[in-house]
């Protein structure tokens, strides 16, 4: 019945919000107060800013807007408005201290439980199918992934731990050909899809080949060993200028010892470079140079999404490479269940019908596309989520990393960042046009 369906939705919202909060608490309870307020990198906020910002967004949308309640702390809105202060400037603000921030997010969440209990979860567009609650859960999880990146940048003793990633079950290599044809990109009916994923629209994609798996450490190391970082002809003009200015010589967090062996620092622990693990922590320019070296290119966003969603048997675009079912731990490496990407071949059940593996989870994948609106885009519910970023100097990333929660990862989900950023959990796979004899 309608009634029990609404109650099931209410329960799913409560679980999704609670999962996000457990993660937020885990990321902020494991270090001392001095480290919560410290600036671990000028690219990142102090963790205590993310914490209170999570509460403030939740207050703005769920307590005040959906709930119609009195503000909890209207006086602090400006401190936690991401557009008023750059990340680098946030440590100097009169922020809530860790104890105050914890109390604040707790007070807000208690009110949200009450708002959720009373919401019909339909009626206005904002609450229809629980959209606003889903949006706020995605917001918290996105900041949790940002906080996880702050943890990776932090120096000092390791504080996070997780079980090892599953081993490869199958050998995956080479490319998959995706035949030419139209597919439906974006969505109208995924209830928690954000504004930039909408509306669904047909896109004709010429035939292309795409790597069956993300580029691994071993593959990327061959580029490094072949002088990839010393050969300007492999880089675009802007890419080379950035390579020189930033002094890039290898992916972030890679270190070579005196014996020539490569290591990777993973949340404070040095580990020998794992050959078959998808590589992570490169900027878009490094991905572009690798592609030039390999004689290939990055996929466009439409190519990536077609590879991830198009079902050749029915012609339909699905939610995930494996179908419409939610991810689980046999399908994808998501949700900070592990602290690194899993080896190529670790998720055969998560492959697409054409045999493209690990599109969802493990690493965000750089595409060649800038961040632009789909035809018919409408900003909802606020311009500052997507609209103000369209047409800027951004590249779209797809798929979600080991640090992305399933609520913020799906075949239509769009992430974006500046082409110089590499503290995010980003890698890539390559694509190419088909040769005449392949069409
Ligand atoms: C979509 C990941 C680029 O973190 O800047 C968080 C998500 N928007 N708060 C970001 C977001 C507002 C956004 N990204
Ligand atoms: Fe935010």
């Amino acid at each position: 019945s309608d009634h029990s369906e609404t109650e099931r939705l209410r329960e799913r919202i409560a679980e999704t919000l609670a999962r996000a909060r457990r993660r937020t608490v885990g990321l902020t309870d494991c270090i001392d107060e001095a480290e919560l307020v410290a600036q671990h990198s000028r690219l990142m906020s102090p963790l205590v800013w993310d914490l209170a910002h999570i509460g403030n967004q939740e207050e703005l949308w769920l307590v005040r807007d959906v709930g119609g309640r009195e503000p909890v702390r209207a006086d602090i809105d400006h401190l936690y408005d991401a557009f008023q202060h750059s990340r680098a400037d946030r440590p100097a603000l009169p922020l809530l201290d860790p104890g105050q921030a914890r109390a604040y997010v707790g007070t807000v969440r208690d009110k949200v439980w009450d708002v959720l209990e009373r919401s019909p979860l339909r009626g206005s567009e904002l609450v229809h199918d629980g959209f606003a609650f889903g949006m706020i859960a995605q917001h918290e999880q996105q900041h949790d992934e940002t906080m996880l990146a702050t943890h990776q940048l932090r120096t000092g003793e390791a504080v996070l731990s997780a079980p090892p990633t599953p081993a490869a079950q199958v050998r995956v290599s080479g490319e998959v050909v995706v035949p030419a044809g139209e597919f439906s990109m974006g969505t109208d009916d995924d209830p928690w899809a954000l504004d930039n994923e909408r509306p669904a629209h047909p896109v004709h994609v010429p035939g292309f080949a795409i790597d069956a798996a993300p580029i691994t450490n071993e593959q990327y190391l061959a580029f490094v060993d072949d002088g990839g970082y010393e050969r300007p002809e492999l880089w675009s003009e802007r890419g080379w200028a950035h390579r020189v200015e930033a002094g890039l010589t290898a992916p972030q967090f890679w270190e070579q010892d005196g014996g020539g062996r490569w290591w990777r620092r993973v949340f404070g622990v040095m580990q020998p470079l794992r050959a078959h693990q998808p590589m992570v922590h490169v900027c878009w320019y490094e991905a572009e140079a690798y592609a030039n070296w390999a004689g290939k290119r990055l996929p466009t966003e439409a190519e990536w999404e077609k590879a991830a969603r198009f079902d050749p048997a029915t012609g339909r675009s699905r939610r995930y490479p494996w179908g419409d079912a939610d991810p689980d731990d046999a399908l994808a490496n998501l949700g900070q269940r592990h602290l690194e990407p899993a080896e190529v071949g670790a998720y055969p059940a998560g492959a697409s019908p054409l045999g493209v593996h690990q599109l969802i989870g493990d690493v965000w994948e750089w595409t060649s596309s800038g961040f632009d609106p789909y035809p018919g885009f409408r900003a909802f519910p606020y311009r500052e989520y997507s609209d103000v970023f369209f047409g800027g100097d951004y590249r779209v990333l797809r798929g979600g990393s080991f640090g992305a929660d399933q609520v913020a990862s799906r075949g239509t989900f769009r992430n974006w960042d500046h082409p110089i950023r590499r503290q995010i959990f980003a890698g890539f796979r390559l694509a190419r046009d088909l040769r005449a004899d392949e069409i």
Side-chain angles (χ1 to χ4, degrees):
S1 72
D2 267 15
H3 176 75
S4 61
E5 224 174 275
T6 303
E7 291 319 306
R8 267 199 304 279
L9 173 60
R10 206 184 305 282
E11 202 139 295
R12 198 158 55 77
I13 291 169
E15 274 168 27
T16 306
L17 287 171
R19 183 171 75 245
R21 186 53 48 88
R22 283 195 298 277
R23 185 173 174 201
T24 302
V25 168
L27 287 163
T28 51
D29 272 4
C30 56
I31 57 178
D32 63 30
E33 303 230 339
E35 286 221 65
L36 283 175
V37 302
Q39 185 175 57
H40 297 280
S41 157
R42 286 184 53 82
L43 294 177
M44 310 307 273
S45 314
L47 292 165
V48 75
W49 185 91
D50 288 284
L51 177 61
H53 168 80
I54 285 168
N56 187 240
Q57 283 290 113
E58 185 166 319
E59 178 185 355
L60 290 173
W61 287 101
L62 299 183
V63 176
R64 295 189 212 167
D65 206 314
V66 172
R69 310 289 170 91
E70 285 303 303
V72 180
R73 287 292 299 265
D75 59 311
I76 60 171
D77 288 353
H78 70 103
L79 296 172
Y80 298 103
D81 176 347
F83 291 87
Q84 286 198 37
H85 312 281
S86 73
R87 286 180 174 180
D89 293 340
R90 290 171 192 167
L93 298 173
L95 302 175
L96 299 187
D97 69 31
Q100 292 168 330
R102 289 186 180 109
Y104 173 58
V105 302
T107 301
V108 169
R109 182 55 62 90
D110 285 343
K111 291 183 189 288
V112 165
W113 293 138
D114 193 50
V115 170
L116 175 60
E117 205 50 54
R118 292 161 197 264
S119 172
L121 303 178
R122 70 182 86 194
S124 80
E125 191 181 10
L126 190 59
V127 297
H128 189 74
D129 285 335
F131 174 81
F133 297 93
M135 174 183 83
I136 286 302
Q138 292 178 73
H139 181 260
E140 181 161 356
Q141 288 284 3
Q142 286 183 293
H143 276 275
D144 288 344
E145 184 168 1
T146 298
M147 289 197 279
L148 189 64
T150 305
H151 272 272
Q152 168 66 1
L153 284 161
R154 154 184 183 276
T155 52
E157 222 176 288
V159 292
L160 297 176
S161 63
T165 52
Q169 295 180 44
V170 292
R171 276 187 63 93
V172 178
S173 62
E175 303 170 323
V176 168
V177 170
V178 180
E182 195 172 276
F183 91 112
S184 177
M185 184 171 186
T187 180
D188 296 324
D189 48 24
D190 197 322
W192 293 357
L194 301 173
D195 59 0
N196 63 51
E197 299 167 70
R198 303 167 188 264
H201 57 289
V203 177
H204 177 83
V205 185
F208 65 101
I210 190 164
D211 290 347
I215 297 299
T216 63
N217 289 327
E218 179 178 63
Q219 288 174 299
Y220 197 86
L221 183 56
F223 164 74
V224 176
D225 284 343
D226 198 33
Y229 283 81
E230 287 126 51
R231 293 162 54 183
E233 73 275 13
L234 296 175
W235 299 67
S236 61
E237 207 174 302
R238 274 188 74 193
W240 183 252
H242 177 67
R243 206 245 20 102
V244 171
E245 193 223 288
L248 307 184
T249 56
Q252 193 171 17
F253 308 115
W254 282 31
E255 287 175 32
Q256 196 172 24
D257 67 23
R261 272 182 311 269
W262 284 95
W263 298 73
R264 205 166 81 79
R265 185 159 59 81
V266 184
F267 298 100
V269 179
M270 293 307 293
Q271 68 167 227
L273 203 62
R274 296 175 59 192
H276 303 299
Q277 177 180 64
M279 67 95 41
V280 61
H281 295 301
V282 275
C283 71
W284 187 87
Y285 292 124
E286 291 168 290
E288 180 189 45
Y290 179 96
N292 289 336
W293 173 78
K296 295 170 55 164
R297 59 174 174 79
L298 290 173
T300 66
E301 200 185 353
E303 286 172 337
W304 191 97
E305 185 168 323
K306 186 173 180 184
R309 298 184 63 210
F310 183 69
D311 176 10
T314 61
R316 198 170 68 82
S317 289
R318 308 185 304 182
R319 233 180 146 215
Y320 298 104
W322 56 82
D324 295 310
D326 285 343
D328 65 30
D329 54 9
L331 292 168
N333 179 12
L334 289 168
Q336 201 188 308
R337 199 165 57 244
H338 307 290
L339 286 173
E340 55 182 314
E343 285 184 2
V344 165
Y347 294 94
S352 76
L354 292 171
V356 187
H357 288 244
Q358 285 160 285
L359 286 153
I360 298 289
D362 296 298
V363 291
W364 286 103
E365 299 182 18
W366 287 111
T367 73
S368 62
S369 303
F371 186 49
D372 289 309
Y374 293 159
F377 169 83
R378 180 173 62 95
F380 180 78
Y382 65 116
R383 282 196 62 232
E384 290 72 19
Y385 184 73
S386 310
D387 202 26
V388 301
F389 297 100
F390 288 141
D393 186 26
Y394 302 101
R395 301 292 183 281
V396 171
L397 300 119
R398 290 301 203 102
S401 76
F402 63 89
D405 185 82
Q406 66 176 75
V407 78
S409 169
R410 53 190 161 264
T412 56
F413 192 92
R414 307 173 75 194
N415 193 2
W416 64 95
D417 215 328
H418 294 290
I420 63 170
R421 290 287 178 255
R422 56 184 201 161
Q423 84 282 2
I424 55 175
F425 304 111
F428 61 97
R429 75 178 73 217
L430 298 181
R432 62 175 176 83
D433 298 346
L434 297 183
R435 296 183 306 265
D437 65 301
E438 291 175 301
I439 295 173

